[in-house]
């Protein structure tokens, strides 16, 4: 594999020699389903049960002697980590393996149940508002959510537990959250489409506001990495070592997190100096971080630099420079260098 699944130290400096198991996403239920095929329902949705069975099987293949189990996932798999990490820990405890520390790494699965830019009728997964999609899905899949989260909400309101900022405070296991501030999947479900036409001012404001909202939901997340980029998924990409927030790469931040958990297990010490684990970009628009992955024009496939991208987005350099009290050339220089 690539990124965190790579066995090359250059590409995966911290976990290249770990035991890795990749579980393909075949259940389309955000890893939460527990509904078997029946006369009424021709599909089975068994994401939650698949994870349980895999854990059972791995115990006989060496997991029983592990010190740490890191449950990691991207997109639906990222949300799946939040929904399953405590259950996996409980399952191992019940099987008599209290010594295994279970942790989660959730990449691009921290969605917001925010108001869409343009409301559309819920006819498929793309047009459906995030809340409505989950509300319908959970009934269809017979979705399982963790007990501690479920107790926070009224009966029938379990859908809330699919949203990171609502489930995170109820989790017992440590979780590291990786989330682009301008996630493409979030923008898609919010009906913001960045293709072809320059972006209208309303959309541009909506996008900036999305970044602010997301940043807010992460402020109390102990371990997080949130670059101000327009993208989706990162941990299995081979460029995952290149992205930095405040001078720290994601593998480095994960290494710091790992160390901090070892240290706190030993003596409950304060966070390690010079080894940050709470990294959130503060600049306000997509790709204002110069280490963001390259953007391609969705029609031509051509690579765009930050300035070309912002122009394509309808960003008015003159007007913005005026508002900031800067010369346009100075603003362009700042944008290019990511200040």
């Amino acid at each position: 594999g690539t990124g965190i699944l790579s066995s090359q130290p250059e590409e995966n400096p911290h976990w290249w020699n770990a035991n890795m198991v990749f579980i393909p996403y075949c259940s389309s239920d955000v890893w939460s389903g527990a509904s078997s095929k029946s006369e009424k329902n021709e599909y089975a949705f068994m994401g939650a049960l698949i994870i349980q069975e895999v854990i059972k099987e791995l115990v006989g293949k060496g997991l029983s002697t592990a010190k740490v189990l890191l449950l990691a996932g991207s997109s639906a798999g990222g949300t799946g980590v939040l929904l399953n990490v405590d259950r996996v820990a409980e399952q191992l405890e019940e099987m008599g393996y209290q010594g295994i520390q279970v942790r989660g790494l959730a990449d691009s699965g921290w969605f917001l149940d925010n108001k869409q830019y343009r409301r559309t009728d819920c006819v498929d997964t793309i047009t459906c508002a995030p809340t409505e999609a989950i509300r319908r899905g959970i009934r269809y899949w017979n979705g399982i959510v963790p007990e501690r989260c479920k107790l926070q909400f009224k009966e029938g309101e379990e859908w809330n537990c699919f949203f990171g900022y609502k489930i995170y405070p109820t989790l017992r296991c440590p979780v590291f959250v990786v989330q682009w501030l301008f996630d493409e999947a979030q923008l898609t479900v919010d009906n913001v489409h960045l293709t072809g036409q320059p972006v209208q001012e309303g959309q541009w404001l909506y996008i900036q506001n999305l970044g602010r909202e997301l940043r807010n939901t992460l402020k109390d997340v102990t371990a997080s990495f949130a670059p101000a980029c327009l993208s989706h998924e990162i941990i299995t990409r081979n460029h995952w070592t290149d992205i930095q927030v405040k001078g720290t790469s994601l593998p480095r931040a994960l290494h710091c997190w790992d160390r901090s958990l070892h240290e706190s297990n030993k003596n409950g010490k304060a966070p390690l100096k010079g080894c940050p684990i709470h990294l959130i970009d503060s600049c306000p628009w997509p790709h204002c971080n110069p280490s963001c992955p390259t953007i391609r024009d969705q029609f031509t496939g051509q690579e765009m630099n930050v300035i070309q991208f912002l122009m394509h987005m309808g960003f008015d350099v003159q007007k913005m420079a005026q508002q900031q009290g800067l010369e346009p050339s100075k603003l362009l220089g700042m944008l290019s260098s990511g200040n």
Side-chain angles (χ1 to χ4, degrees):
T2 50
I4 203 170
L5 293 172
S6 169
S7 53
Q8 305 302 314
E10 311 77 56
E11 193 176 325
N12 188 11
H14 188 41
W15 282 309
W16 62 274
N17 62 348
N19 296 296
M20 299 184 202
V21 177
F22 178 75
I23 319 175
Y25 182 46
C26 58
S27 60
S28 71
D29 54 24
V30 201
W31 294 106
S32 73
S35 95
S36 48
K37 193 173 163 178
S38 65
E39 309 229 322
K40 199 176 71 169
N41 191 357
E42 58 177 319
Y43 294 104
F45 296 97
M46 295 199 166
L49 306 181
I50 289 169
I51 290 178
Q52 244 171 33
E53 290 303 314
V54 169
I55 295 294
K56 261 188 227 168
E57 194 173 318
L58 291 177
V59 163
K61 296 185 187 296
L63 178 63
S64 55
T65 58
K67 289 192 175 69
V68 174
L69 167 65
L70 178 66
L71 193 65
S74 294
S75 196
T79 310
V81 166
L82 299 166
L83 290 167
N84 287 285
V85 68
D86 278 1
R87 194 175 308 108
V88 167
E90 281 155 24
Q91 183 185 351
L92 286 169
E93 274 169 29
E94 281 162 20
M95 292 171 82
Y97 302 109
Q98 286 89 343
I100 305 171
Q101 293 171 43
V102 180
R103 302 172 187 165
L105 169 58
D107 164 31
S108 305
W110 186 273
F111 291 99
L112 300 183
D113 51 344
N114 59 345
K115 202 164 177 273
Q116 289 174 296
Y117 172 63
R118 232 187 26 259
R119 206 194 148 278
T120 41
D121 289 332
C122 183
V123 290
D124 57 26
T125 48
I126 299 296
T127 54
C128 215
T131 310
E132 186 54 27
I134 293 296
R135 216 186 273 246
R136 293 184 186 200
I138 200 170
R139 291 198 297 266
Y140 193 43
W141 312 315
N142 187 20
I144 297 178
V145 301
E147 210 50 44
R148 276 166 65 100
C149 183
K150 200 173 171 176
L151 293 171
Q152 307 285 315
F153 300 100
K154 293 204 298 275
E155 201 176 327
E157 303 284 302
E158 293 84 359
W159 58 266
N160 282 285
C161 297
F162 281 72
F163 294 96
Y165 73 100
K166 293 179 177 180
I167 189 173
Y168 178 83
T170 71
L171 296 178
R172 288 188 163 134
C173 293
V175 174
F176 192 109
V177 176
V178 181
Q179 186 65 36
W180 303 107
L181 289 180
F182 305 96
D183 187 284
E184 287 173 316
Q186 177 79 51
L187 286 166
T188 300
V189 295
D190 287 338
N191 284 324
V192 176
H193 302 290
L194 305 175
T195 50
Q197 302 302 311
V199 172
Q200 298 154 342
E201 191 173 9
Q203 280 177 305
W204 177 240
L205 294 172
Y206 183 92
I207 291 165
Q208 285 179 286
N209 189 52
L210 173 71
R212 275 196 296 275
E213 284 184 5
L214 210 113
R215 201 179 286 118
N216 267 339
T217 64
L218 291 171
K219 64 177 189 297
D220 297 326
V221 174
T222 314
S224 49
F225 186 86
C229 309
L230 177 76
S231 196
H232 184 60
E233 304 189 332
I234 178 174
I235 60 172
T236 54
R237 307 272 193 238
N238 52 13
H239 63 249
W240 81 306
T241 51
D242 302 336
I243 317 298
Q244 297 195 346
V245 175
K246 298 179 176 150
T248 300
S249 71
L250 177 52
R252 166 83 179 143
L254 287 168
H255 175 61
C256 290
W257 177 58
D258 202 29
R259 275 183 56 199
S260 74
L261 292 171
H262 281 305
E263 297 290 322
S264 66
N265 269 357
K266 281 202 303 234
N267 52 18
K269 266 203 336 225
L272 301 157
K273 282 204 168 65
C275 211
I277 58 172
H278 182 79
L279 292 153
I280 300 173
D281 262 336
S282 51
C283 64
W285 47 67
H287 273 60
C288 53
N289 172 333
S291 72
C292 286
T294 313
I295 314 167
R296 290 184 181 279
D297 184 297
Q298 284 166 307
F299 286 120
T300 63
Q302 293 265 268
E303 290 192 357
M304 293 194 266
N305 65 28
V306 176
I307 293 165
Q308 287 167 327
F309 167 69
L310 289 169
M311 300 288 203
H312 166 75
M313 296 269 288
F315 182 88
D316 186 330
V317 177
Q318 298 284 351
K319 186 172 151 192
M320 194 53 85
Q322 217 173 353
Q323 283 175 0
Q324 308 279 339
L326 296 167
E327 285 296 312
S329 58
K330 176 125 197 272
L331 178 64
L332 288 177
M334 285 165 72
L335 289 173
S336 308
S337 66
N339 289 332

